[in-house]
Amino acid sequence: QTPWLWNTRQCWSGYPYQPLMPDLHYYYIVELSFYWSLMFSQFIDVKRKDFGVMFTHHIVAVTLITFSYVTNLTRVATLIFCLHDVADIVLEAAKMANYCKCQKLSDLLFLTFAVVFIVSRLGIYPLWILNTTLFELYEALGNFPALWVFNVLLIVLQILHCFWSYLIIKAAYKAISKGKVAKDTRSDVESSSEEEEAEPRSKAPLSAAATNGTSGTNGYLTGAPCSEEH
């Protein structure tokens, strides 16, 4: 329903005197609460080899959300929210299918997630989001300090997208070549490859590399069996 979804130049029309609509305000509250929860829960969750990268992502996400709210860069920020949330939906569905022992459905959803993640984070994000924040914003308003702070954080987010895309492509390749999703390559605590091969197919853990969030992926992947199997 918003014009800036279809024309990103509308993000800067009338800036900074843009009213914050109630629905966007509550969208901000939900997203900020979600990433703050991940900031704390990662210390009690299973620690992966990319713990430092994940922690960096959460710090960048919280900083971006807060900074964009304070500087009223809310229109483009809501586009970033939507772009990051769409991949998380498929990832969480893949997790639930894995926990329900629906391995074929889990594998299919994971491969779908891989396609959605790569298209949204390596395609739409730089061509749609970074294009408007780096070029259209500068053309519309000129140079000002918040522009550089905002863009540096967005570029750091893109670097993290590239890192996780590598892990996702690696897992997707194994899924296609072996006929099932392999174990999470980020984990140091999962069973060895020999033990995994000995497990029934229905117990093979799902692997995925996430995001969130943004922008916002929730950042936590299924790399271990269900709780009753521990």
Side-chain angles (χ1 to χ4, degrees), residues 69-212:
Y69 188 89
V70 170
T71 56
N72 206 31
L73 294 167
T74 54
R75 291 186 176 183
V76 70
T78 56
L79 299 182
I80 300 172
F81 292 161
C82 292
L83 192 62
H84 283 70
D85 290 344
V86 65
D88 286 348
I89 296 172
V90 186
L91 175 61
E92 299 303 329
K95 289 181 182 181
M96 290 189 289
N98 182 64
Y99 294 148
C100 294
K101 302 296 189 284
C102 300
Q103 190 61 39
K104 290 184 178 180
L105 177 60
S106 177
D107 293 349
L108 177 61
L109 287 171
F110 169 68
L111 294 177
T112 303
F113 160 75
V115 173
V116 173
F117 185 95
I118 292 171
V119 170
S120 61
R121 308 298 176 87
L122 299 187
I124 299 176
Y125 180 83
L127 296 177
W128 191 41
I129 300 298
L130 292 183
N131 176 66
T132 191
T133 59
L134 287 171
F135 303 109
E136 294 178 353
L137 174 57
Y138 184 81
E139 292 174 5
L141 302 172
N143 189 16
F144 59 101
L147 180 150
W148 296 104
V149 175
F150 193 56
N151 279 305
V152 166
L153 292 172
L154 292 178
I155 291 173
V156 171
L157 203 58
Q158 178 63 8
I159 294 173
L160 299 178
H161 292 165
C162 295
F163 172 75
W164 280 313
S165 295
Y166 163 75
L167 296 182
I168 291 173
I169 293 173
K170 186 176 180 181
Y173 173 77
K174 291 181 179 179
I176 295 173
S177 60
K178 295 183 179 180
K180 65 179 181 179
V181 177
K183 73 174 185 175
D184 195 334
T185 56
R186 307 172 307 146
S187 179
D188 280 323
V189 299
E190 292 181 286
S191 59
S192 65
S193 57
E194 293 80 9
E195 292 173 339
E196 182 183 82
E197 293 299 328
E199 290 180 350
R201 179 174 173 79
S202 62
K203 292 187 178 182
L206 170 70
S207 170
T211 88
N212 105 113

Side-chain angles (χ1 to χ4, degrees), residues 32-69:
L32 185 59
S33 302
F34 174 68
Y35 281 105
W36 267 116
S37 70
L38 292 181
M39 183 83 77
F40 292 106
S41 65
Q42 65 181 343
F43 293 103
I44 59 176
D45 201 349
V46 176
K47 288 190 177 182
R48 310 282 185 182
K49 286 185 287 188
D50 67 340
F51 175 84
V53 176
M54 193 67 68
F55 185 60
T56 302
H57 172 268
H58 297 335
I59 292 177
V60 171
V62 170
T63 305
L64 269 172
I65 295 172
T66 305
F67 183 79
S68 63
Y69 188 89

